[in-house]
Amino acid sequence: MQIAGLNTLGISIARIDYAPLGQNPPHTHPRATEILTVLEGTLYVGFVTSNKPAPNRNKFLSKVLNKGDAFVFPVGLIHFQFNPNPHKPAVAIAALSSQNPGAITIANAVFGSDPQISDDVLAKAFQVEKNTIDWLQAQFWENNHN
């Protein structure tokens, strides 16, 4: 929408600046594949495959990327980027195969929804005590919820 000549072409692009030890937390783009290219610094990136039949279900694939390296995150799969350097920032360009890729940050969606998902449901899903779920929800609620 910000560059009229690109609107309706079915693509989008974003520059992402990572602080030292900064991250783009686990998230998904339900309507786009993403290709990420590192412009400066180093990034540890990865994604998890879908719930397809064994033995390859939920397989975690990751790589450390340096300046000039690229990595593809398939449409809809949970992925992340992390700058492992405690002293230097990193910069990347992300290109997506949709002008409206969507973004769902996993922790925010699960623990910070409005209204909250029942702690009974989440405790069973994550196989933890309800007080653990309550604590996690509190990290995303009240002052942190937008």
Side-chain angles (χ1 to χ4, degrees):
M1 296 302 293
Q2 294 176 357
I3 303 174
L6 295 180
N7 193 21
T8 73
L9 292 181
I11 58 171
S12 54
I13 191 166
R15 174 186 164 131
I16 308 168
D17 292 87
Y18 303 85
L21 300 178
Q23 71 171 338
N24 189 0
H27 64 283
T28 182
H29 303 289
R31 295 179 293 276
T33 292
E34 175 181 347
I35 184 166
L36 182 92
T37 303
V38 176
L39 300 180
E40 295 293 335
T42 299
L43 291 175
Y44 171 58
V45 303
F47 70 89
V48 179
T49 64
S50 62
N51 293 338
K52 60 185 174 181
N56 293 320
R57 70 172 158 235
N58 298 323
K59 184 173 176 138
F60 176 58
L61 302 166
S62 66
K63 185 168 176 95
V64 173
L65 304 179
N66 295 299
K67 183 177 180 176
D69 291 341
F71 197 83
V72 174
F73 304 104
V75 62
L77 297 185
I78 296 171
H79 61 281
F80 68 89
Q81 302 99 38
F82 173 72
N83 177 3
N85 191 313
H87 306 291
K88 293 182 181 178
V91 179
I93 292 288
L96 297 111
S97 63
S98 170
Q99 68 191 44
N100 184 16
I104 302 168
T105 303
I106 305 308
N108 292 350
V110 173
F111 299 110
S113 65
D114 183 12
Q116 291 181 337
I117 299 171
S118 163
D119 58 2
D120 289 321
V121 171
L122 294 178
K124 185 166 184 155
F126 288 98
Q127 300 177 20
V128 297
E129 300 292 324
K130 278 204 250 184
N131 62 350
T132 301
I133 297 299
D134 293 339
W135 183 84
L136 286 166
Q137 286 176 324
Q139 306 312 300
F140 293 91
W141 204 247
E142 299 293 329
N143 299 331
N144 298 328
H145 191 68
N146 297 340

